[in-house]
């Protein structure tokens, strides 16, 4: 009887460990359930992620193909070099109308056609905020291809 | 003539009127009180009416050897009682319970699950109390489960550890479960301030069907790996819930939450009631079990409330501490009590759906607690 009976039958330890196990069990369950909807969200959006990866790959393949198909004419090579000088003097990113304006003022040959071609071959790429960037890698490749042709 | 008189005397001495003892009469009154509470006061009528009638059945005196009594081999009652002693009925009750329960509130705010864990302190403190009062380990563990406020779990664990006490423990557990609306409110008012009782809970987020479907599988794996001894109860609980949420098994869920649980409740109630024969039930130990039962309910309620207040010290969005009282796994009675006590202060504060979270986690917690005690002792 009394506290001695509890001590003799190891009651204190059983109660303490028992309570801890119940708490741990429900705590683990609670933490797991709290993450469940987040995991499900990722799982449900897996289609979108896959779609984005495929789109990116296709874009890259298109770009490679466009570059392979590109014939670097004398006019294109000169235009690329001239525009490169203009772009270096401008802010990065730059506004396309400003570049066009500068090119016209400097008397560059067919600036509209040149910019359209640059956008097609992704020498000029939009930054998503209404401005554009000059892709130096594409610029170097064009020059290299021009030398090869 | 003498022969006829002998037959008549023999018949009269074989009747219950002749053999009835004051103990039988006391138990019959207890049975009638249960029936009265169930019908007139609406206290757990689905349980108290079958148990009350079972007490009447079990306390009709008869000649032993006729194969009538619940403790006589081969009698109809003893065959039905096997569902209790083997733990079949409690497991089937859990199946039906799982098929009835919506775990949305718990999934939307899993932190409330900790209140269900805190309320299980009742089990372990009662376990210690029972040891202190001279019960052996098996009996103390069985009595402790009364603190989980979970009738089927109490019966299940008593059947495994202390079969001679099933009737007493079941009657104590169900009596106090029925008296949840009477026992809990004073403790809730005592341990909370008006300001705390007025706390409004944030609207729970909408839970997707997929989450509800995955929950029983995740819950089952986590809980049963931790306490495999709780497998018969938690396995059935989560399986029943999966049947409910899977949609395609709606027919099975419908059967589990209606036909199965109703049939089992009738059989469980009547046989548990019938097991309380005066000579088995009216003992000093039964009174001690009832005292410990009352203590366990009070401790479980207080533990939940106090733990909710402790959680509020760390939480940015405070929880209404009344929810802690719902950690006592009397589903859905203690959640309803939280709603009633909360609305006494503010009739526009709806706490019921929030209280269901600790309430159902209390069911899981008490089953884990039972499994843990069983594995320690069994």
């Amino acid at each position: 009887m009394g506290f001695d009976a509890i001590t003799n039958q190891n009651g204190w330890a059983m109660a303490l460990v028992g309570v801890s196990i119940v708490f741990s069990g429900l705590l683990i369950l609670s933490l797991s359930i709290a993450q469940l909807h987040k995991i499900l969200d990722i799982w449900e959006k897996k289609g979108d992620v896959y779609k984005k990866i495929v789109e990116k790959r296709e874009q890259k393949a298109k770009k490679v193909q466009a570059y392979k198909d590109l014939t670097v004419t004398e006019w294109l090579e000169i235009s690329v070099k001239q525009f490169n000088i203009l772009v270096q003097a401008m802010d990065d990113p730059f506004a396309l109308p400003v570049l066009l304006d500068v090119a016209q003022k400097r008397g560059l040959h067919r600036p509209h056609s040149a910019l359209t071609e640059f956008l097609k071959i992704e020498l000029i790429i939009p930054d998503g905020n209404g401005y554009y960037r000059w892709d130096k890698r594409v610029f170097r490749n064009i020059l290299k291809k021009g030398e090869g042709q | 003539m003498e022969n006829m008189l002998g037959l008549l005397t023999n018949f009269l001495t074989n009747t219950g009127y002749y053999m009835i003892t004051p103990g039988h009469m006391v138990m019959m009154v207890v049975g009638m009180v249960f029936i009265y509470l169930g019908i007139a006061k609406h206290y757990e009528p689905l349980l108290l009416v079958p148990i009350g009638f079972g007490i009447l059945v079990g306390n009709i005196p008869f000649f032993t050897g006729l194969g009538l009594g619940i403790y006589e081999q081969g009698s109809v009652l003893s065959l039905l009682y096997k569902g209790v002693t083997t733990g079949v009925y409690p497991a089937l009750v859990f199946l039906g319970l799982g098929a009835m329960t919506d775990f949305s509130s718990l999934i939307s705010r899993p932190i409330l699950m900790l209140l269900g864990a805190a309320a299980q302190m009742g089990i372990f403190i009662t376990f210690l109390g029972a040891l202190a009062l001279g019960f052996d380990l098996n009996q103390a563990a069985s009595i402790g489960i009364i603190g989980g406020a979970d009738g089927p779990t109490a019966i299940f664990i008593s059947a495994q550890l202390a079969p001679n006490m099933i009737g007493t423990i079941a009657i104590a557990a169900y009596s106090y479960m029925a008296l949840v609306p009477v026992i809990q409110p004073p403790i809730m008012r005592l341990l909370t301030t008006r300001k705390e009782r007025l706390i409004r809970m944030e609207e729970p987020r909408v839970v997707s069907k997929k989450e509800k479907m995955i929950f029983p599988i995740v819950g089952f794996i986590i809980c049963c790996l931790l306490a495999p001894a709780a497998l018969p109860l938690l396995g059935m609980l989560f399986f029943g819930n999966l049947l409910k949420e899977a949609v395609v098994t709606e027919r099975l869920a419908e059967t589990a939450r209606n036909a199965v649980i109703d049939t089992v409740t009738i059989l469980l109630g009547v046989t548990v009631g019938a097991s309380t024969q005066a000579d088995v039930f009216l003992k000093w130990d039964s009174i001690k079990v009832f005292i410990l039962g009352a203590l366990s309910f009070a401790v479980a309620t207080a533990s939940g409330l106090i733990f909710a207040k402790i959680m509020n010290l760390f939480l940015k969005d405070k929880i209404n501490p009344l929810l802690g009282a719902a950690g006592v796994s009397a589903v859905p009675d203690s959640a309803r009590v939280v709603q009633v006590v909360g609305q006494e202060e503010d009739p526009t504060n709806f706490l019921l759906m929030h209280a269901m979270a600790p309430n159902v986690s209390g069911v899981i917690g008490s089953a884990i607690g039972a499994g843990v005690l069983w594995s320690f002792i069994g």
Side-chain angles (χ1 to χ4, degrees):
Chain A
M1 293 283 273
F3 287 153
D4 287 346
I6 300 174
T7 311
N8 292 341
Q9 300 188 76
N10 204 19
W12 298 113
M14 281 187 193
L16 202 67
V17 176
V19 168
S20 312
I21 294 173
V22 173
F23 252 95
S24 314
L26 289 178
L27 183 68
I28 295 167
L29 185 59
S30 143
L31 292 173
S32 314
I33 296 307
Q35 303 308 315
L36 190 60
H37 70 281
K38 292 176 192 164
I39 296 166
L40 278 174
D41 274 353
I42 295 170
W43 180 256
E44 272 161 14
K45 282 177 189 158
K46 73 176 191 305
D48 293 347
V49 173
Y50 180 72
K51 222 171 161 181
K52 270 183 192 164
I53 293 169
V54 170
E55 270 173 18
K56 225 172 182 177
R57 269 190 199 162
E58 279 173 358
Q59 265 179 0
K60 204 176 171 185
K62 245 185 206 172
K63 213 169 160 181
V64 170
Q65 193 57 41
Y67 179 70
K68 273 183 188 167
D69 296 344
L70 179 71
T71 310
V72 183
T73 59
E74 198 184 340
W75 165 75
L76 182 65
E77 196 175 345
I78 294 167
S79 298
V80 164
K81 284 177 182 168
Q82 288 173 333
F83 271 92
N84 183 49
I85 296 164
L86 295 184
V87 167
Q88 299 311 316
M90 292 173 73
D91 291 334
D92 186 35
F94 55 83
L96 206 56
V98 176
L99 179 62
L100 180 65
D101 189 43
V102 174
Q104 279 171 337
K105 279 180 184 163
R106 299 286 165 97
L108 263 60
H109 184 53
R110 290 164 55 204
H112 276 103
S113 306
L115 288 179
T116 308
E117 190 65 22
F118 294 167
L119 284 167
K120 210 166 88 184
I121 59 174
E122 294 184 351
L123 174 59
I124 290 175
I125 41 173
D127 74 345
N129 296 316
Y131 289 89
Y132 290 81
R133 288 181 188 280
W134 184 257
D135 192 331
K136 286 175 185 164
R137 197 173 51 87
V138 177
F139 169 69
R140 281 194 297 273
N141 287 343
I142 290 170
L143 291 187
K144 212 188 273 175
K145 195 163 186 183
E147 281 165 16
Q149 284 173 358
Chain B
M1 186 64 189
E2 201 176 298
N3 220 4
M4 280 171 67
L5 205 64
L7 277 174
L8 190 63
T9 311
N10 198 24
F11 173 76
L12 287 176
T13 52
N14 281 352
T15 61
Y17 295 107
Y18 183 80
M19 287 185 284
I20 200 160
T21 62
H24 289 124
M25 286 192 269
V26 168
M27 287 311 294
M28 281 184 172
V29 172
V30 171
M32 284 187 270
V33 169
F34 269 53
I35 294 171
Y36 170 77
L37 289 175
I39 296 173
K41 298 283 178 187
H42 293 214
Y43 291 164
E44 295 266 1
L46 302 181
L47 288 167
L48 290 197
V49 173
I51 291 177
F53 198 81
I55 295 174
L56 296 182
V57 171
N59 285 284
I60 295 292
F62 54 83
F63 263 125
T64 47
L66 290 178
L68 295 172
I70 199 160
Y71 296 112
E72 284 188 281
Q73 281 284 322
S75 71
V76 174
L77 281 175
S78 78
L79 290 174
L80 295 177
Y81 192 52
K82 278 206 186 310
V84 176
T85 54
T86 53
V88 172
Y89 293 161
L92 290 175
V93 169
F94 264 65
L95 175 76
L97 195 62
M100 279 179 189
T101 308
D102 183 358
F103 284 101
S104 306
S105 54
L106 187 143
I107 300 169
S108 68
R109 204 146 186 213
I111 197 165
L112 295 180
M113 220 181 263
L114 297 181
L115 298 177
Q120 304 318 312
M121 285 289 286
I123 291 181
F124 295 96
I125 290 179
T126 312
F127 166 70
L128 293 177
L131 285 178
L133 284 181
F135 287 100
D136 66 31
L137 269 179
N138 287 6
Q139 292 170 330
S142 308
I143 295 166
I145 302 299
I146 300 173
D150 191 344
T153 307
I155 291 171
F156 181 81
I157 215 71
S158 313
Q160 312 304 324
L161 297 176
N164 57 328
M165 294 191 80
I166 293 177
T168 313
I169 288 170
I171 298 292
Y174 282 120
S175 306
Y176 289 124
M177 276 168 69
L179 292 172
V180 158
V182 180
I183 299 170
Q184 286 198 309
I187 303 168
M188 291 159 82
R189 288 187 204 106
L190 184 74
L191 291 175
T192 55
T193 62
R194 183 168 189 272
K195 196 180 161 195
E196 285 173 329
R197 293 197 289 273
L198 282 170
I199 293 176
R200 280 176 181 261
M201 300 288 294
E202 250 181 66
E203 200 66 18
R205 72 174 172 83
V206 177
V207 174
S208 71
K209 194 71 194 163
K210 273 186 192 164
E211 278 179 87
K212 288 193 205 176
M213 269 189 240
I214 293 170
F215 173 75
I217 299 169
V218 174
F220 168 71
I221 293 172
I222 290 176
C223 296
C224 290
L225 283 179
L226 185 74
L231 188 63
L233 297 177
L234 287 181
M236 290 306 234
L237 177 80
F238 286 122
F239 173 54
N241 191 248
L242 181 63
L243 291 180
K244 175 183 179 282
E245 300 301 348
V247 185
V248 287
T249 50
E250 182 51 31
R251 218 176 78 192
L252 300 182
E254 186 73 24
T255 307
R257 69 171 158 257
N258 293 312
V260 171
I261 201 166
D262 287 351
T263 309
V264 173
T265 303
I266 291 169
L267 295 174
L268 182 78
V270 170
T271 51
V272 162
S275 72
T276 60
Q277 290 177 0
D279 53 334
V280 179
F281 192 79
L282 291 178
K283 289 176 178 170
W284 175 233
D285 274 357
S286 302
I287 293 166
K288 287 200 272 187
V289 169
F290 270 79
I291 293 167
L292 285 165
L295 169 83
S296 67
F297 262 65
V299 170
T301 306
S303 306
L305 291 165
I306 293 166
F307 193 76
K309 287 164 80 111
I310 295 171
M311 278 170 73
N312 272 348
L313 297 176
F314 304 98
L315 290 175
K316 208 175 99 188
D317 297 323
K318 306 288 178 211
I319 54 172
N320 190 315
L322 290 178
L323 298 188
V328 171
S329 51
V331 179
D333 296 38
S334 48
R336 279 195 204 129
V337 170
V338 169
Q339 165 83 352
V340 170
V341 176
Q343 287 200 327
E344 280 172 8
E345 302 295 347
D346 177 4
T348 60
N349 194 3
F350 294 95
L351 295 170
L352 184 65
M353 61 181 167
H354 303 287
M356 282 308 290
N359 208 188
V360 291
S361 84
V363 176
I364 300 170
S366 58
I368 295 177
V372 168
L373 280 177
W374 189 16
S375 62
F376 283 162
I377 299 161

